[in-house]
Amino acid sequence: MNIKIQRSLAVVSAAALVFGVASASTAQAAKHKAKVVYIAYQGPLSGGEASTGIDEQNAVKYAVKLFNARSENKKKFNVKVVSVDDQGDPAVASTVAPGIGANKNVLGVVGPAYSGATIASLPYYKAGGLVLISPSATRVSLTDPTSPDFGGPVFHRVVGKDDLQGPALAKYATQGVSSAKVFVFDDQSAYAVPLRGYVEAGLKKVAGASVVGGDSVPNTTTDFSPTIAKIKTSGATVVIYTGYYSQAAVFIKQLRDSGSTAIFAGGDGVFNQEFPKLAGAAAEGSRITGVGGLAGISKKLEADFKKQMGVSSGVYSVESFDAANILLEGIKKGNTTRAKMLKFVKSYKGKSVSGNKIVFDKNGDISYGLFAGFTSKGGVLVNTGIVK
Amino acid sequence: MFDVLIHQFWSLTIAGVALGFIYVLISLGYTMVYGVLRMINFANSEIFMWGTFGTVITNRDLFNYTQTSEPAKGWKLALVLITALLMSMFVAALTAVFVELVAYRRLRMKGTNRLATLISAIGISIALQEVMRLLTSSRPVGSPRILEKIILTEIWGANVRLDTVITIIAAAIIYFILERFIKLSRMGKAIRAVSQNEDAAKLMGVNLNRVITTTFLVGGLATGAAAFFYITVFEYTKFNIGFTMGMAAFTAAVLGGIGNIRGAFFGGLSLGLLEVYASAVLGTQWKAVTVFVVLVLVLLFKPNGLFGEAVQQTRA
C-alpha cells in the first residue's frame, strides 16, 4: 500500500516536472494521497493486567482496519493507532500521558482502560484538549462534576458505571432465589467499597431479598475463617463479593470447605477466566457479572473479527469497538483537529454495535450499561446473556 | 456484635490456632536471626514466599497434579506431602543462606554499621519479590488439592478438618525439634553463645560465620515449613504474599519478645487467635487496628514483649 502511494506520488511529481507546474503538483498529490490520521489507544499492554489492554486494543485495531478498508475512506484517510502502554498503573500513566497530550497529531484516545490510570492522565489531556472515550473505566467519580476526579470536558465513556453494575449484580446473584438472604463484602479497595454500596442499594429493589450481613476484608487476606463464621451465623443463602478474582478464588474454596452451599456471586473484578482455574471445583455455579465481548452480540461479527485479527475478541471488545467507531466517524466527517473532534464527540448521536443508542450526557456518560451474566461451568465462565 | 463469636467460637479457635502455628514457624525465622545478629531479617517474608513455590512446584510439576485431579490417597498422599514439605524447607533454607551471603556477610566483614545491612536486606527482599513477579507474570498461582479436606469430627458444633489438624500437630512437632536443637545440640550451644556475647564466643573458638549461616539455615527451614502448611491450608500463593505474612509474623515475634524462641511460640499463637477473634467481633476491617493496639499495650507494660529477653542480656 505504501509502496503504491509512493509510486503514484513519483509518477505525479514526474508529470508535474514535465509540465513545469510545480505548484499544481502538491495539490494533485494531496488529492491522491490518503491523509494519515492518528488516534491512540491507552491501557495496560504489558505487566499483570496486559491481557485486558491487548483485548481492547485488538478491538480498536479491528475497527480501524474495517474503516481503512472501506472504499469511500480508502482515498481520503489512512487512520493509524498509536499504542500507549500505561500498565493500568496510575504512576506509569502519569509518565506516558504528557507525551500524548502534547502530540497534536493524535486526535482522540480510546481509553484509558482503568479508572486510576485515567485520573492520573487527565491533567495532561485536559490541557491538550484531547478527547477521551474509555471502554472500561467504570469509577463513578470520573463523571461526577463535584468530584476532584471529574474528567470533563474531555472524558467520555461507553461503559456502564459501577452504579449500573451494582443493581445488575444484585439481580443476577439473586435470580431464582426466593426471599434471598444476602451477605455482601468488599476488599477495602477504591473499586470494591463503592460497588458494594451500589449492590446493597440494588438489593433493595429485588423483591424479597434482604441484606443479612457484611464485612470488609483487606485485599491481602488469605484466611477468611472469620468472614465465613459470620456468613454461617447470618444464615445467608447468597454471598456477594465486590473485590477481585484472586481473592475470590481463595475465599470460595474456604467457603465450600466449610460446608456452606450458599450461592457465590461477584462483579467484573472477579470476571476473569483465571478465577475458575484458581478455585477449581469450588467455583462451580458461581455467578459473575462482566462484559460479554462481540460473540455475545453477533456470531457473524465475531467470526470476521477472528478472521481479520487472528484471535477471538476479548473483554470490553464491544465497548472498545464502539469507542473507536465514534472517533472514526468524526474523522470521516472531517473533524481533523482536536477542538473539532471534541465538539463532535460531545454532540455525537449514534448506535452501539450492541443496538443501544449512544448519546453522551453533559458529564460524558451514556445511559445504559451492558452487563452480561456469567456462570462457572466445568472450569470456565460461560456467558448466559445480558442481565436485564 | 458478639453473637458470631458465641456461635462460632470453636471453629474460630481452631482456625486461629492453625494460623497461629504458621505464624510461629515464620517468626522463628525473624527471632533466630535477631537473637544472633541483633538485626531484623527483612528478607524473611520473601524467603517464606519462595518457600510456598517449593510446595506448589512439587505438587504441580513433580507429581503432575492439576486443579481438577483427585486428591492423593494412602501412601501416595504421605509421599507427596512429605516431599512437598522437604522441598519448601529446602527452597526456603537455600534462599535464606543466599540472603545471608549476599546481603549480610560481606557488609559484616567490612564492619559497616547496622543500618547499611538493614538497607541491603530490604534491597534483596525487593529483588527476590520482583524476580518472582516476573517469573509468574504478576499472576496468582493456585496449588492443586493434594490433601482432601475431610471433616474428621465435630467438637461443640465446630468442624475439625484434616488439614487443620495436620497443620497444628506437624507444626508443633517441627517447633519442638528446632527448640531442642537450639537447647541441646553443640551447634545450638554455639548459636546461643554468639547470641549472648559475640566476642567472647569468638575467643572460645566458635566459628562465627558458620554459626550465622546455620542460624539463617535453621530460620529458613522453619519458614519453609510454614510455607508448606500455608499452601496445604490455603492452596494459593502470589509474588506479594510475603509482605502480609511476614509483617504478621514479625509482629508475633515482637509480641512474644524478639530473640526468644519461646516468645515466638506464644506470640504466634496469640496473634493467630487475636486476629480471628477481632475480625469476628469487630469486623475484618478492624483486625490490624486491634492487633497493633494490643501490641502497643503489651509493649507499654512489657517493653521486651511477653517473653522478652532479660534486660541484662540485651546489648546496646
Side-chain angles (χ1 to χ4, degrees), chain A residues 48 51 188 215-218 220-223 225-227 229-230 232-233 245-246 250 253-254 257-258 274 277-278, chain B residues 4 7-8 12 15 19 67 138 140-143 145 149 159 161 230 234-236 244 276 279-280 283-285:
Chain A
S51 67
Q188 305 186 346
D215 202 355
S216 188
V217 185
T220 47
T221 304
T222 32
D223 178 30
S225 45
T227 310
K230 279 181 215 172
K232 288 194 151 177
T233 315
Y245 74 93
S246 55
V250 183
K253 272 187 161 184
Q254 290 176 34
D257 289 340
S258 79
E274 289 287 312
K277 271 188 217 155
L278 272 174
Chain B
V4 176
H7 279 113
Q8 303 280 336
L12 287 171
L19 184 65
Q67 288 289 2
S138 309
V141 178
S143 169
R145 179 160 293 189
K149 304 201 166 174
N159 293 334
R161 265 188 1 224
Y230 181 88
F234 300 119
E235 299 171 341
Y236 161 90
T244 331
V276 171
S279 308
T284 312
Q285 64 269 42

Side-chain angles (χ1 to χ4, degrees), chain A residues 168-185 199 203 206 209-210 212-213 227-228 231-232 234-242 248 251-253 255-256 258-267 270 275 281-289 374-376:
Chain A
L169 176 53
K171 253 186 226 165
Y172 187 55
T174 54
Q175 227 167 52
V177 187
S178 57
S179 52
K181 291 167 143 183
V182 190
F183 185 94
V184 194
F185 71 114
V199 168
L203 282 167
V206 177
S210 59
V212 292
T227 310
I228 289 168
I231 290 169
K232 288 194 151 177
S234 71
T237 51
V238 177
V239 178
I240 301 178
Y241 179 54
T242 59
F251 167 77
I252 186 66
K253 272 187 161 184
L255 183 72
R256 294 292 175 246
S258 79
S260 166
T261 53
I263 290 171
F264 176 72
V270 184
F275 168 69
E284 283 297 294
S286 298
R287 300 174 175 188
I288 291 139
T289 51
F374 289 81
T375 174
S376 180

Side-chain angles (χ1 to χ4, degrees), chain A residues 307-350:
Chain A
K307 203 174 120 201
Q308 304 261 359
M309 305 305 294
V311 288
S312 304
S313 74
V315 293
Y316 295 109
S317 50
V318 174
E319 288 78 2
S320 306
F321 187 69
D322 281 346
N325 278 333
I326 297 171
L327 294 179
L328 292 171
E329 182 72 20
I331 292 169
K332 193 176 164 187
K333 297 223 163 112
N335 299 294
T336 48
T337 64
R338 281 187 178 181
K340 278 188 191 164
M341 185 58 102
L342 180 60
K343 212 175 147 201
F344 171 80
V345 171
K346 284 226 157 301
S347 58
Y348 179 81
K349 279 189 179 71

Side-chain angles (χ1 to χ4, degrees), chain A residues 37-41 80-82 84 99-110 125 128-131 327 336-338 341:
Chain A
V37 180
Y38 295 93
I39 64 171
Y41 167 76
K80 290 189 171 163
V81 180
V82 180
V84 185
I100 296 299
N103 182 352
K104 294 280 180 202
N105 286 328
V106 176
L107 289 180
V109 177
V110 175
Y125 297 155
L130 177 61
V131 66
L327 294 179
T336 48
T337 64
R338 281 187 178 181
M341 185 58 102

Side-chain angles (χ1 to χ4, degrees), chain B residues 47-48 50-51 87-97 220-221 223-225:
Chain B
I47 293 170
F48 169 78
W50 275 73
M87 182 70 130
S88 268
M89 289 172 81
F90 174 73
V91 170
L94 206 68
T95 317
V97 170
L221 287 174
T223 306

